[in-house]
Amino acid sequence: MQAVLNAISDPTRRAALALLQGGEECCVCELMTRLNASQSRMSRHMKMLQDAGLVIGRRDAKWVRYRRNRDLAPEFAAVIDAVLAAERPLEEDMA
């Protein structure tokens, strides 16, 4: 549980999870463009999410494509969904 909480404690990692929420698969280059992050920073964030079991990486030629882990324990998935849902209204208020 600690690794999951650490992984979702960062706004960039939460934003990456939100982009992968609907089953979309993204490579680091797509995530860095959409989240305005450097390649090395985004790769470190995705490694932390992968180490926590929240995302799965799939090698595709020279890229690694990430997707949300569909086999995540339901209680962890519920926590992540609740955190992302609670954050959405805050983002809309700031826009």
Side-chain angles (χ1 to χ4, degrees):
M1 180 62 140
Q2 186 65 38
V4 171
L5 294 176
N6 285 340
I8 63 173
S9 68
D10 182 86
T12 302
R13 290 191 291 270
R14 288 192 307 271
L17 282 173
L19 290 173
L20 301 173
Q21 186 77 359
E24 184 178 350
E25 197 176 62
C26 294
C27 68
V28 168
C29 58
E30 294 166 326
L31 292 167
M32 53 187 266
T33 299
R34 292 171 78 176
L35 300 176
N36 195 30
S38 69
Q39 185 275 329
S40 61
R41 182 173 168 234
M42 199 71 243
S43 291
R44 281 193 311 272
H45 284 309
M46 296 312 293
K47 178 167 178 16
M48 187 165 206
L49 290 171
Q50 188 170 11
D51 289 348
L54 303 179
V55 300
I56 294 173
R58 173 181 67 83
R59 176 126 336 250
D60 180 20
K62 64 180 181 175
W63 295 281
V64 176
R65 302 191 62 76
Y66 292 95
R67 66 174 169 81
R68 188 162 171 187
N69 183 357
R70 294 181 204 121
D71 296 326
L72 187 62
E75 57 272 15
F76 291 142
V79 168
I80 292 164
D81 291 342
V83 167
L84 296 178
E87 201 163 69
R88 258 183 242 122
L90 295 174
E91 291 170 354
E92 291 167 4
D93 287 345
M94 294 174 70

